[in-house]
Amino acid sequence: MSGSARGTVPGLATPYPLGAVLPAVYAEDDFGQRFMSGLDVVLAPLFNVLDSLEAYFSPALAPADFVDYLATWVGAELDGSEPLPLRRHAVATAVALHRVRGTRQGLAAAVRLAFGMAPEITESGGASWSARPLGPFPGVPVAGLHVVLRVDDPSAVDPHRLRAVVAAARPAHLPFTVAVTSSRTSEGA
């Protein structure tokens, strides 16, 4: 993540110059006017931010450093190395991802957001119902989750990043494994 871009802006005029609202006794004082113009330089960016405050809370319009700050507010799973458009998208979709967190759909969406492709997910459990008691349980008796990401170049994908994304988005009680392998299309070529 980059550093903050907040500070004075050369040539930015304030819409409310303080020297104009000084009492008459100070209106003609050169030192007072210069002192107030120094404060105007410091306050002009603040007025600029306040005038456009709504844009700061829109991931599509916010300054890049503020997008990173918004990501911490909404719990977006970012490591800081993503390009700005992806960080903006992660912040914009974070709430929707939190709604499906811990589900197969949420896990697939989190991996797709981080790596740009859908994973193969194999899980041990299932859900079923039966009209008769003592029906068979779905799934396998040992709980587990396996996520495979098939890519053209497995060396280009960080498996530790995949593990971190899956760990954050999986159901909390499930042990899991991850793998990055070659895509089927490249195996057949």
Side-chain angles (χ1 to χ4, degrees), residues 4-24:
S4 176
R6 307 293 164 258
T8 60
V9 179
L12 181 64
T14 180
Y16 310 105
L18 296 174
V21 295
L22 286 177

Side-chain angles (χ1 to χ4, degrees), residues 35-167:
F35 184 77
M36 289 297 123
S37 69
L39 291 177
D40 287 340
V41 168
V42 173
L43 292 176
L46 177 66
F47 288 128
N48 191 30
V49 168
L50 290 175
D51 287 344
S52 59
L53 188 60
E54 184 178 337
Y56 275 73
F57 298 104
S58 170
L61 301 174
D65 63 324
F66 204 79
V67 170
D68 297 336
Y69 189 54
L70 287 176
T72 64
W73 284 10
V74 297
E77 299 292 334
L78 299 172
D79 68 357
S81 64
E82 298 87 356
L84 182 59
L86 183 61
R87 293 193 327 255
R88 289 183 189 281
H89 181 67
V91 170
T93 60
V95 173
L97 279 176
H98 287 309
R99 283 190 202 117
V100 293
R101 189 176 198 144
T103 66
R104 182 184 189 102
Q105 175 190 4
L107 178 58
V111 172
R112 192 177 316 108
L113 178 65
F115 296 97
M117 59 189 53
E120 293 177 13
I121 300 172
T122 308
E123 49 190 331
S124 61
S128 177
W129 68 274
S130 174
R132 287 180 266 142
L134 302 176
F137 288 105
V140 296
V142 178
L145 175 69
H146 185 64
V147 178
V148 177
L149 193 61
R150 296 194 185 276
V151 295
D152 292 333
D153 182 13
S155 64
V157 175
D158 181 8
H160 299 292
R161 175 75 176 129
L162 177 61
R163 183 170 181 72
V165 169
V166 171

